[in-house]
Amino acid sequence: MSTKLQPGKLSGELKAEGLRFAVVVSRFNSFITERLLAGALDALERAGATDKQVRVLHVPGAFELPLAAKKLAQAGQTDAVIAIGCVLRGETSHYDYVCSETARGLQLAQMDTGVPVIFCVLTCDTLEQAIDRAGLKGGNKGFEAGLAAIEMAHLSHKLAGKQSGQRGAAKKARR
Ligand code: INI
């Protein structure tokens, strides 16, 4: 089957200029989360971000990420939030509650505020799986999250009909 349709395409650039980011990082499993943070900052820096454009906030564990992410998004100084955590499966069902509530809370944070919240929470059965995704075989999921934050910040401004980096853009979107 062939088609002559060539619909217009919309996507976000990977340039950090004029954007502001907040990164909220869980201290739990910091051996992993600090590596993910380094990956995210590397992506932002390579895309042109400077210190003044990025804020980093630490919380105790993944379960605390959603509230911090929502408050950062609501504060109106942020074009995208990156939430970084690492949940490792233990012997009880605790893991399942932390994973599902963290994912649900982060999704709610972006849906409630209109500010992109990037999900950079590893949910792994073993420490080895986490290490692989924090700079080894599986790349660095923090770096991917940094790129996703830039793209989604631009895209959400475009969808709202605003120039990227327009001051106060995030604030207008909050509830
Ligand atoms: N928090 C994590 O970020 N990762 C984990 O693996 C984890 N485990 O396994 O318990 C974890 N628990 C703490 C939780 O996120 C909260 O900080 C705590 O329950 C206080 O609300």
Side-chain angles (χ1 to χ4, degrees):
M1 193 187 301
S2 68
T3 174
K4 289 184 179 139
L5 269 186
Q6 289 193 318
K9 291 177 184 168
L10 191 65
S11 62
E13 299 84 12
L14 289 178
K15 291 179 189 159
E17 192 186 347
L19 296 172
R20 292 152 304 169
F21 303 93
V23 191
V24 55
V25 189
S26 158
R27 251 185 251 108
F28 209 105
N29 293 325
S30 63
F31 177 78
I32 299 297
T33 59
E34 290 303 313
R35 280 160 178 75
L36 296 172
L37 171 61
L41 295 178
D42 187 29
L44 297 179
E45 185 181 20
R46 283 168 188 251
T50 60
D51 284 343
K52 284 188 180 163
Q53 291 170 250
V54 186
R55 277 196 294 172
V56 177
L57 184 99
H58 282 84
V59 296
F63 193 76
E64 283 71 43
L65 290 171
L67 181 63
K70 184 169 181 177
K71 287 195 176 291
L72 285 164
Q74 281 177 325
Q77 306 291 320
T78 303
D79 296 291
V81 179
I82 301 169
I84 292 178
C86 172
V87 193
L88 295 178
R89 191 182 290 281
E91 291 176 359
T92 69
S93 56
H94 187 77
Y95 167 92
D96 301 296
Y97 290 103
V98 174
C99 290
S100 63
E101 290 308 300
T102 301
R104 194 176 69 95
L106 291 173
Q107 184 64 273
L108 278 175
Q110 69 172 349
M111 299 310 284
D112 286 352
T113 62
V115 176
V117 175
I118 306 304
F119 184 72
C120 184
V121 180
L122 301 185
T123 57
C124 298
D125 289 338
T126 65
L127 179 60
E128 190 186 4
Q129 288 175 345
I131 291 171
D132 283 346
R133 289 157 180 76
L136 260 76
K137 280 189 286 187
N140 188 316
K141 296 296 173 192
F143 190 90
E144 291 175 23
L147 296 183
I150 298 166
E151 183 172 348
M152 286 307 297
H154 281 298
L155 192 58
S156 71
H157 289 322
K158 278 188 187 174
L159 291 171
K162 293 170 189 147
Q163 286 289 315
S164 284
Q166 184 181 323
R167 292 193 84 74
K171 193 169 194 169
K172 285 177 194 158
R174 79 178 177 183
R175 281 201 187 151

